[in-house]
Amino acid sequence: MSYLSILLLVFIYILTPTFVFSSPLQDPDLVVQEVHRSINVSRRNLGYLSCGTGNPIDDCWRCDHNWEKNRQRLADCAIGFGKNAIGGRNGHIYVVTDSGDDDAVNPKPGTLRHAVIQDEPLWIIFKRDMVIKLKQELVMNSFKTIDGRGASVHIAGGPCITIHYATNIIIHGINIHDCKQGGNADIRDSPHHYGWWTVSDGDGVSIFGGKHIWVDHCSLSNCHDGLIDAIHGSTAITISNNYMTHHDKVMLLGHSDSYKQDKDMQVTIAFNHFGEGLVQRMPRCRHGYFHVVNNDYTHWEMYAIGGSAAPTINSQGNRFLAPDDSEWRHWNWRSEGDLMLNGAYFRQSGAGASSSYARAYSLSARPSNLVGSMTVTAGSLNCRKGSRC
């Protein structure tokens, strides 16, 4: 081989992007300790950061006036089991200019559907405010970030987001509501493949066999099935800073009691506000390990957290305000560091309920009486260029 050929091969090798696929299964105790370390660092910095909140995710990026020029910094701010979700970091910026969705098989360039099916990493942003009514569920390819900052973006009135055996997805700053069932149609999921999809559940965000997923600062309400559901072996997920309202079955984590592949599911649920008009499943957990930390539960009609098929639910530093006429006020709680108001109680629920509870590090989670201030900006933010979000 000539010297020139060797140089060319070395040059090509240097320019070829490499993706690190970390193992999705993590030591839960180490992950929980890292979450607490992040929270404690943010708390210690409150005296020095004028915009600090004690929320380590927000304090990582929201103090930056130039967030619009440093969008991809967000990918370094996740905590918990979904911390390694890089989304479209190091990829090109894709600007959505068209709110239409006329063809699920041959999407028009400039549409959200055209962006999410591409093979390469992309950081997807929006040129202006828009309401996107999808004709079929939006099936995402791996290594994508949907970043709604700087615009008011609604995905509503049709099928919504599906993460189907995809990895490294970040969904941030989107309003997702009034999601309907779709399916019995061909849908493209990559530039090279489309196929027949049966009827969808009608979730806001459906995670099916997905890994390294982060859903942050979204507002979700009123969908046909769940607001966020993760099933069929999904893991390495963080659900944070979201505002959820007006819905029955809010969040299902685990397909069924008999689907034992979900035993490796690991999910962090942090700094969310579960608000008015919610009924149940905040979340409903099966088999896996679930760290529920510093969330604000201000309304529910049936129950907040439920579990079956022996999940580990580590509930820490949450605030639960029970409804006035809840039949569940006689449940027996098993948690540490949670603040129970108005007669709120908890018990294991569902068939075969025998949940085990990991040791609660209640002194490390932020005190539950401060959760209201931590979650006051949960949901999509009103971010404008040149100013802090």
Side-chain angles (χ1 to χ4, degrees):
M1 182 180 293
S2 70
Y3 178 72
L4 181 60
S5 298
I6 294 173
L7 283 178
L8 180 60
L9 286 174
V10 171
F11 182 69
I12 292 173
Y13 175 78
I14 292 172
L15 290 183
T16 301
T18 58
F19 301 119
V20 177
F21 294 88
S22 58
S23 171
L25 191 61
Q26 303 166 68
D27 183 323
D29 288 336
L30 293 179
V31 173
V32 169
Q33 290 174 28
E34 176 64 19
V35 169
H36 294 149
R37 188 198 66 79
S38 299
I39 293 172
N40 286 335
V41 168
S42 285
R43 290 174 65 188
R44 286 195 296 268
N45 289 336
L46 285 177
Y48 304 97
L49 294 174
S50 60
C51 72
T53 65
N55 178 326
I57 295 173
D58 285 358
D59 292 348
C60 177
W61 68 272
R62 286 186 64 186
C63 294
D64 184 3
H65 285 90
N66 294 317
W67 62 267
E68 195 270 338
K69 295 180 179 178
N70 301 315
R71 285 181 178 271
Q72 296 194 13
R73 179 185 176 190
L74 179 69
D76 299 323
C77 296
I79 65 171
F81 291 112
K83 180 179 181 178
N84 293 322
I86 64 173
R89 188 179 66 191
N90 300 325
H92 293 296
I93 299 288
Y94 187 114
V95 182
V96 175
T97 58
D98 187 342
S99 63
D101 187 45
D102 295 333
D103 192 336
V105 175
N106 298 297
K108 181 180 176 183
T111 62
L112 179 58
R113 188 179 299 278
H114 183 267
V116 302
I117 66 168
Q118 301 306 311
D119 285 333
E120 69 269 24
L122 290 175
W123 199 277
I124 302 163
I125 66 174
F126 299 83
K127 185 176 182 180
R128 61 180 183 277
D129 297 351
M130 57 181 66
V131 177
I132 299 173
K133 183 177 180 180
L134 298 165
K135 289 196 171 181
Q136 297 295 340
E137 55 192 303
L138 187 76
V139 182
M140 297 191 65
N141 205 342
S142 297
F143 294 97
K144 300 293 180 293
T145 297
I146 300 178
D147 181 359
R149 289 176 296 175
S152 176
V153 179
H154 293 251
I155 298 177
C160 291
I161 298 173
T162 293
I163 300 168
H164 189 263
Y165 292 111
T167 185
N168 285 282
I169 302 291
I170 299 173
I171 301 172
H172 180 94
I174 306 296
N175 299 280
I176 303 168
H177 56 94
D178 299 292
C179 299
K180 313 297 184 187
Q181 289 183 296
N184 284 336
D186 285 325
I187 302 174
R188 184 171 295 278
D189 54 14
S190 80
H192 316 291
H193 178 266
Y194 70 88
W196 182 262
W197 289 70
T198 58
V199 175
S200 64
D201 290 336
D203 298 330
V205 179
S206 173
I207 307 171
F208 190 107
K211 295 176 174 61
H212 301 299
I213 312 296
W214 182 26
V215 181
D216 185 58
H217 270 297
C218 292
S219 296
L220 304 103
S221 65
N222 195 35
C223 293
H224 184 269
D225 190 23
L227 294 184
I228 302 175
D229 283 4
I231 61 173
H232 275 266
S234 298
T235 192
I237 299 168
T238 293
I239 299 168
S240 57
N241 294 308
N242 300 291
Y243 182 40
M244 295 172 241
T245 60
H246 301 106
H247 192 77
D248 181 3
K249 299 175 181 178
V250 177
M251 190 184 303
L252 175 66
L253 304 176
H255 177 64
S256 67
D257 287 0
S258 62
Y259 193 82
K260 295 184 179 180
Q261 290 91 325
D262 281 332
K263 66 181 175 57
D264 291 334
M265 181 178 289
Q266 297 177 319
V267 183
T268 300
I269 301 166
F271 319 128
N272 300 285
H273 182 185
F274 295 91
E276 65 272 11
L278 300 180
V279 179
Q280 59 182 312
R281 296 187 179 182
M282 293 170 255
R284 171 75 160 82
C285 307
R286 293 185 174 109
H287 292 293
Y289 188 106
F290 308 93
H291 187 203
V292 186
V293 57
N294 285 155
N295 299 280
D296 200 6
Y297 293 82
T298 55
H299 298 80
W300 71 83
E301 294 182 18
M302 290 181 63
Y303 68 88
I305 301 174
S308 65
T312 297
I313 303 173
N314 189 352
S315 174
Q316 301 177 296
N318 301 287
R319 182 174 72 167
F320 298 90
L321 176 61
D324 290 333
D325 298 316
S326 174
E327 64 177 287
W328 307 100
R329 64 174 60 249
H330 301 296
W331 285 13
N332 297 312
W333 282 95
R334 295 182 63 189
S335 66
E336 295 183 34
D338 292 319
L339 179 63
M340 315 302 175
L341 300 174
N342 201 31
Y345 289 89
F346 174 81
R347 74 176 182 187
Q348 302 156 66
S349 64
S354 57
S355 302
S356 60
Y357 288 76
R359 175 174 175 266
Y361 299 83
S362 56
L363 295 180
S364 296
R366 196 164 184 205
S368 51
N369 61 342
L370 299 179
V371 165
S373 61
M374 287 184 77
T375 60
V376 68
T377 59
S380 60
L381 299 166
N382 183 22
C383 297
R384 296 304 171 193
K385 297 177 183 178
S387 62
R388 293 172 178 168
C389 276

